[in-house]
Amino acid sequence: MSALRVDRVGPLATIQDLGRPGWFDSGVGAAGAADRASLRLANRLVGNAEGAAGIEVLLGGLELLAQRHVTVAVTGASAPVTVDDRPMGTASVLEIEEGQRLRLGFAASGLRSYVAVRGGIEVSPVLGSRSRDTLSGIGPEPLRAGDVLPVGPPPRALPIVDVAPVPALGNDLLTVRAVPGPRADWFTDAEALFAGEWTVSPDTDRVGARLDRRRGPALQRCVASELPTEGMALGSVQVPPSGQPVVFLADHPITGGYPVIAVVVDADVDTVAQARPGQALRFRRIE
């Protein structure tokens, strides 16, 4: 049953669930929400299963018209939320009646907000997932003004809290944990990755967070030969010839030919996905 009409979209809004793992052998990546924790929280707030499909909103600018009563939660980046121009709290349960409008302003911190609707966005799945993979073009098209989104039947579980106490995402220096390797020995000093600070590049998307050196030593290779293409994991820190690393995010390619100097721990990949261009980041080595 249709329940939400898209009246306005900012830079990008896509439908995402927790992705389609298990298709690497067929050349298909997992995709899914870039900040998985925020999507899970939004779904829990409205009583959905954690993996139900919601809307991932880049920076903000989304406007939805309810075509019937819906229960909604917005999490992730600190975008101001209004219902018919009345300010609403983030990470809270919102009851929106037919004819009312949910608007997300532009986020002051963080990069991606998540809108979960009780019942989930019930577009047709592709290979078992409703996620949009922006690299391969698999899954539902990015949202456009005029789209009408179907919402599934409400789950049996009811929302158990009205609001979740979530600290706001800041614009300060981020610390991200990473383990060295598997190609750390291809660099003259792999520890250089963990020295100083990096800046998130404007050339950052769901494929990867590209980093520029802000302060610290350059990454230099001691092995200059070509690397055979090999599998890439979520959170891999790949270093192209420019020496500016890329942290692979949700829509990363499944293989790559540049050495991976380190891998961001899974729990911190969501943090990288919320890092805004220009924000400073440093790596902390763990074993």
Side-chain angles (χ1 to χ4, degrees), residues 23-30 135 207 227-234 236 238 248 251-260:
W23 291 94
F24 268 40
D25 289 349
S26 302
V28 178
L135 182 65
V207 174
L227 179 70
T229 297
E230 58 186 6
M232 291 287 149
L234 181 69
S236 293
Q238 189 187 63
F248 278 167
D251 291 352
H252 71 85
I254 62 171
T255 61
Y258 298 132
V260 172

Side-chain angles (χ1 to χ4, degrees), residues 239-278:
V239 183
S242 66
Q244 309 298 336
V246 181
V247 182
F248 278 167
L249 300 178
D251 291 352
H252 71 85
I254 62 171
T255 61
Y258 298 132
V260 172
I261 192 171
V263 179
V264 174
V265 300
D266 188 73
D268 287 358
V269 171
D270 292 348
T271 300
V272 179
Q274 289 288 7
R276 297 166 71 100

Side-chain angles (χ1 to χ4, degrees), residues 7-30:
D7 279 356
R8 190 162 64 91
V9 176
L12 179 68
T14 57
I15 296 172
Q16 300 291 343
D17 55 19
L18 293 180
R20 51 180 66 83
W23 291 94
F24 268 40
D25 289 349
S26 302
V28 178

Side-chain angles (χ1 to χ4, degrees), residues 158-178:
L158 295 171
I160 57 175
V161 296
D162 293 330
V163 62
V166 179
L169 297 169
N171 293 317
D172 299 332
L173 173 67
L174 297 174
T175 299
V176 175
R177 296 167 295 171

Side-chain angles (χ1 to χ4, degrees), residues 12-250:
L12 179 68
T14 57
I15 296 172
Q16 300 291 343
D17 55 19
L18 293 180
R20 51 180 66 83
W23 291 94
F24 268 40
D25 289 349
S26 302
V28 178
D35 177 356
R36 298 153 296 173
S38 290
L39 176 65
R40 287 188 171 110
L41 175 60
N43 275 323
R44 290 201 302 271
L45 283 166
V46 297
N48 287 346
E50 289 187 342
I55 304 172
E56 181 181 278
V57 184
L58 179 66
L59 285 175
L62 182 72
E63 180 175 327
L64 302 173
L65 173 69
Q67 296 185 323
R68 61 176 172 84
H69 170 265
V70 289
T71 303
V72 170
V74 181
T75 60
S78 302
V81 179
T82 63
V83 174
D84 281 357
D85 297 326
R86 286 183 295 115
M88 298 289 170
T90 56
S92 61
V93 179
L94 308 177
E95 303 293 347
I96 303 177
E97 303 300 331
E98 179 178 350
Q100 290 189 309
R101 292 178 185 275
L102 173 73
R103 293 186 178 94
L104 271 65
F106 284 91
S109 60
L111 205 55
R112 297 176 169 94
S113 299
Y114 292 85
V115 180
V117 186
R118 182 168 168 79
I121 305 296
E122 204 171 55
V123 297
S124 298
V126 178
L127 300 179
S129 169
R130 296 182 168 92
S131 280
R132 174 66 176 182
D133 185 332
T134 60
L135 182 65
S136 65
I138 294 175
E141 292 292 327
L143 299 188
R144 297 175 299 180
D147 287 347
V148 177
L149 303 178
V151 173
R156 297 184 64 178
L158 295 171
I160 57 175
V161 296
D162 293 330
V163 62
V166 179
L169 297 169
N171 293 317
D172 299 332
L173 173 67
L174 297 174
T175 299
V176 175
R177 296 167 295 171
V179 295
R183 300 294 178 187
D185 58 347
W186 280 51
F187 295 85
T188 56
D189 179 14
E191 293 302 311
L193 178 74
F194 304 96
E197 298 169 1
W198 302 87
T199 300
V200 179
S201 163
D203 187 20
T204 289
D205 54 23
R206 283 180 44 86
V207 174
R210 293 161 178 83
L211 307 178
D212 297 325
R213 179 51 102 179
R214 183 186 194 202
R215 181 169 60 244
L219 295 177
Q220 296 180 331
R221 283 175 57 170
C222 57
V223 178
S225 57
E226 293 292 325
L227 179 70
T229 297
E230 58 186 6
M232 291 287 149
L234 181 69
S236 293
V237 184
Q238 189 187 63
V239 183
S242 66
Q244 309 298 336
V246 181
V247 182
F248 278 167
L249 300 178

